RNA sequence: GCGCCCGUAGCUCAGCCGGAUAGAGCACCGGCCUUCUAAGCCGUAGGUCAGAGGUUCGAAUCCUCUCGGGCGCACCA
């Protein structure tokens, strides 16, 4: 019989649902399959969806099956209205959660050696890393922000030589500028500072160290000042050099040798990458005796594991992509689980001015620094713009748009929504409309579709934060905020919040309060200020 | 040559752990201020989701290949 065949099919689906844990077996046999009384309701109809959802009917207004097999659940408005007290009662924490279970996470980013000011590329990385760290900590992770740097080695020697050359040059003495020296104006500034401190006392200095040290100090201070302007504070600066001093680099070599994963050839020490699934073996100690960057990187990552982190997030520019497989293979070879390391590679930034791409070249120090950018657009705009794209995408930073203090600038758009909400509150107070206690908030009066939509968006905020955190994708917050601000502006233009209807006014003022909280908390997560007036 | 990323509206980009009619902002065009900030709103238009195969009941989404663009492929970091 046809009905039996269909019933068997539905029973089977029901059982599968039970097995998968979608619902309990309590409703087994409790649902029907009958010929409907009226035409237009199919040949046979089952109330399966209703029965399965029966324990939750207080939430549901109606349930429909539609299209190619969707069960559409329409929730009662009260469900959405109940979001508001929750938001307002948890002003400081709404959006935060503990899904991270206090997992220890290390977020490493920037990690620029002190050879020059931060470029806009670093800026993107700095903001990206900081926002990711912020999201992780908002979701209950125990986060450490770390900056890994090296103030020894070839790069720094060249920096010292460059500084010396500029020093001699400024004194009008003969000098030779290193072939691959640092050409920026900042080196000249440092040289000038040395002259002010020492006069020509260093002109016969045999060591490069005083030049190097001075340059390093000045540049690191600059970098930190810049980071500070961006609102970024690191918990820890990890010096690559300390790895050598503590014998940790040698120890990695010894361990690799022990496992037969390192060998000598052509006077160099090689890592047997081919043994670890990599396309080729790599030099880890040059024939000069100096290690390549790979080796200390492996040692550093091993230290991260030893320091007890459950999850290690590395933020790198896409030009460092080649290092990733090597380091991860090294970590694995040393007996640690590379799946605990997540590398976020971000693409480059191009600046657009007057519709034209601004040409930049690191080598010639012909690049726009984060400082210059901040002078021009400020920290809020810089942070917001750096987060407007997912890390994978190249980021086009449109200075023309960023410097506009008008409707087109998305940063102001969002901030304005927040300021407007504050303004409404002030206006209401001036008119003597009192919010009253949250418990008495007449949220039942929020019945317009526009209002339910706003409530839904607010309700989705914590989940959005969690997803953005776990996927290391802060750009989602930016999109969310733009959407929410847009919804509010639209609502504002259509409906009056403070009106003759005192109860409705209070309800809407609470709605405004909730929106303000979500906007403010969202902006805080990406490190952008939420002004109360603009 | 090899590896990774990208290719979605005129432009800049979301969506990408498969689902219903693919979204937003700019730009264009047309409207809205005696009332809570016009730094705002409303409306019109705009698409072979680079292309070709494949998997699937179903693909922008997954697989393969091709074509474009970016970044790498050091005894630099």
């Amino acid at each position: 019989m046809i009905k039996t065949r269909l019933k068997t099919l539905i029973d089977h689906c029901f059982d599968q649902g039970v097995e998968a844990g979608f619902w309990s077996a309590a409703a087994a046999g409790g649902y029907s399959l009958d010929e409907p009384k009226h035409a237009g309701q199919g040949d046979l109809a089952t109330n399966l969806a209703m029965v399965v959802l029966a324990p939750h009917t207080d939430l549901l207004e109606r349930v429909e099956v539609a299209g190619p097999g969707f069960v559409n659940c329409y929730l009662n408005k009260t469900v959405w209205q109940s979001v508001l007290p929750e938001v307002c009662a948890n002003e400081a924490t709404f959006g935060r959660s503990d899904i991270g279970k206090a997992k220890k996470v290390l977020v490493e980013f920037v990690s620029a050696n002190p050879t020059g000011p931060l470029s806009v590329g670093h800026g993107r990385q700095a903001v990206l890393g900081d926002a990711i760290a912020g999201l992780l900590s908002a979701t209950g992770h125990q986060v450490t922000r770390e900056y890994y740097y090296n103030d020894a080695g070839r790069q720094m020697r060249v920096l010292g030589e460059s500084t010396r050359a500029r020093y001699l040059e400024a004194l009008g003495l003969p000098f030779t500028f290193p072939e691959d020296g640092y050409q920026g104006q900042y080196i000249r500034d440092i040289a000038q500072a040395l002259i002010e401190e020492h006069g020509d006392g260093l002109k016969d200095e045999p060591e490069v160290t005083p030049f190097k040290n001075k340059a390093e100090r000045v540049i690191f201070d600059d970098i930190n000042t810049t980071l500070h302007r961006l609102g970024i504070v690191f918990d820890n600066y990890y010096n690559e050099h300390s790895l050598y001093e503590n014998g940790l680099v040698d120890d990695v070599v010894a361990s690799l040798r022990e496992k037969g994963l390192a060998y000598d050839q052509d006077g160099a020490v090689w890592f047997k990458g081919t043994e670890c699934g990599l396309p080729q073996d790599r030099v880890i100690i040059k024939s000069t005796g100096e290690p390549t960057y790979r080796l200390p990187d492996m040692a550093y990552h091993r230290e991260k594991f030893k320091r007890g982190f459950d999850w290690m997030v590395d933020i790198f520019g896409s030009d460092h992509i080649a290092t990733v497989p090597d380091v991860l293979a090294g970590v694995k070879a040393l007996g640690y689980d590379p799946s605990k390391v997540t590398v976020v590679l971000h693409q480059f930034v191009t600046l657009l001015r007057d519709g034209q791409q601004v040409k930049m070249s690191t080598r010639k120090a012909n690049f726009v620094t984060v400082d210059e950018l901040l002078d021009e657009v400020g920290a809020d705009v810089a942070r917001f713009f750096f987060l407007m794209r997912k890390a994978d995408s190249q980021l086009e930073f449109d200075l023309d748009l960023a410097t506009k203090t008008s409707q087109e600038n998305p940063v102001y758009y969002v901030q304005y929504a927040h300021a407007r909400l504050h303004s409404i509150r002030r206006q209401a107070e001036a008119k003597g409309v009192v919010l009253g206690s949250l418990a008495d908030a007449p949220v039942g009066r929020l019945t317009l579709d526009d209002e339910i939509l706003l409530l839904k968006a607010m309700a989705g905020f914590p989940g959005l934060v969690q997803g953005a955190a776990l996927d290391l994708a802060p750009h989602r917050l930016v999109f969310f905020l733009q959407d929410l601000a847009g919804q509010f502006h639209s609502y504002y233009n259509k409906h009056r919040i403070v009106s003759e209807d005192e109860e409705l006014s209070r309800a809407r003022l609470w709605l405004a309060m909730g929106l303000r909280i979500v906007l403010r908390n969202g902006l805080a997560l990406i490190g952008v200020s939420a002004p109360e007036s603009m």
Side-chain angles (χ1 to χ4, degrees), chain A residues 276-418:
Chain A
C276 307
L278 297 176
Q280 49 197 310
D281 292 351
R282 300 289 194 175
V283 169
I284 49 176
I285 299 179
K286 300 185 246 179
S287 50
T288 60
E290 280 180 305
T292 62
Y293 66 90
R294 273 178 272 271
L295 181 54
D297 267 12
M298 288 178 193
Y300 174 44
H301 278 81
R302 186 176 65 166
E303 284 315 295
K304 290 183 183 177
F305 277 94
K306 285 190 185 166
R307 287 157 67 196
F309 290 103
D310 303 304
W311 189 14
M312 285 138 278
V313 178
D314 295 347
I315 321 279
F316 294 154
S318 61
D319 54 335
H320 280 58
I321 187 161
T323 79
V324 175
D326 295 338
V327 172
L328 292 185
V331 160
K332 192 172 175 195
L334 293 167
Y336 295 92
D337 177 6
S339 71
K340 288 186 172 182
V341 179
T342 305
V343 178
V344 176
L345 288 167
H346 65 89
Q347 298 293 317
F348 283 172
V349 177
T350 51
L351 286 176
L352 220 59
R353 190 194 297 281
D354 304 327
Q356 297 292 311
Q357 196 170 315
V358 180
K359 294 256 192 295
M360 288 188 279
S361 140
T362 312
R363 188 130 289 297
K364 299 198 174 108
N366 170 28
F367 54 82
V368 177
T369 66
V370 176
D371 263 325
E372 289 160 355
L373 185 69
L374 287 171
D375 290 342
E376 207 163 330
V377 304
D380 282 342
V381 171
R383 286 191 68 113
F384 196 97
F385 270 64
F386 277 137
L387 293 173
M388 277 202 301
R389 306 286 174 251
K390 64 181 175 200
D392 279 343
S393 289
Q394 285 174 46
L395 188 149
E396 196 164 80
F397 198 118
D398 187 340
L399 286 164
D400 304 321
L401 180 62
T403 48
K404 274 185 189 155
T405 49
S406 75
Q407 48 185 339
E408 296 148 66
N409 192 324
V411 187
Y412 295 120
Y413 184 80
V414 176
Q415 289 182 321
Y416 179 52
H418 181 265

Side-chain angles (χ1 to χ4, degrees), chain A residues 175-289:
Chain A
F175 69 98
T176 45
F177 196 77
E179 202 174 316
D180 51 356
Y182 293 91
Q183 307 204 10
Q185 172 62 35
Y186 62 95
I187 301 288
R188 290 193 163 90
D189 297 341
I190 293 165
Q192 199 54 49
L194 277 172
I195 290 174
E196 277 158 31
E197 282 170 34
H198 303 279
D200 65 354
L202 294 172
K203 69 178 191 301
D204 298 318
E205 171 63 42
E207 293 294 322
V208 74
T209 313
F211 298 98
K212 194 209 84 171
N213 286 351
K214 176 67 179 175
E216 178 192 333
R217 255 196 326 276
V218 171
I219 292 169
F220 231 132
D221 281 353
D222 275 355
I223 288 175
N224 282 319
T225 304
T226 304
L227 290 170
H228 203 79
R229 288 181 76 189
L230 276 173
I232 297 171
V233 177
F234 280 91
D235 299 302
N236 196 30
Y237 290 79
Y238 198 100
N239 189 344
E240 178 183 324
H241 200 60
S242 69
L243 294 165
Y244 297 98
E245 286 164 355
N246 300 325
L248 298 168
V249 174
D250 292 340
D251 194 56
V252 168
V253 181
S255 295
L256 290 176
R257 278 191 200 277
E258 210 170 287
K259 293 171 197 286
L261 292 170
Y263 62 92
D264 298 281
Q265 189 183 304
D266 306 328
V269 183
W270 296 67
F271 171 56
K272 221 171 194 174
T274 48
E275 197 89 343
C276 307
L278 297 176
Q280 49 197 310
D281 292 351
R282 300 289 194 175
V283 169
I284 49 176
I285 299 179
K286 300 185 246 179
S287 50
T288 60

Side-chain angles (χ1 to χ4, degrees), chain A residues 1 3 24 26 70 110 169 179 181 194 217 224 271 283 303 336 355 381 407 429 466 476 499-500 518:
Chain A
M1 191 185 164
K3 191 167 163 181
S24 81
F70 290 92
V110 185
E169 181 185 33
E179 202 174 316
L194 277 172
R217 255 196 326 276
N224 282 319
F271 171 56
V283 169
E303 284 315 295
Y336 295 92
V381 171
Q407 48 185 339
E429 278 171 7
Q466 290 167 19
R476 287 187 208 160
S499 64
E500 301 308 311
V518 174

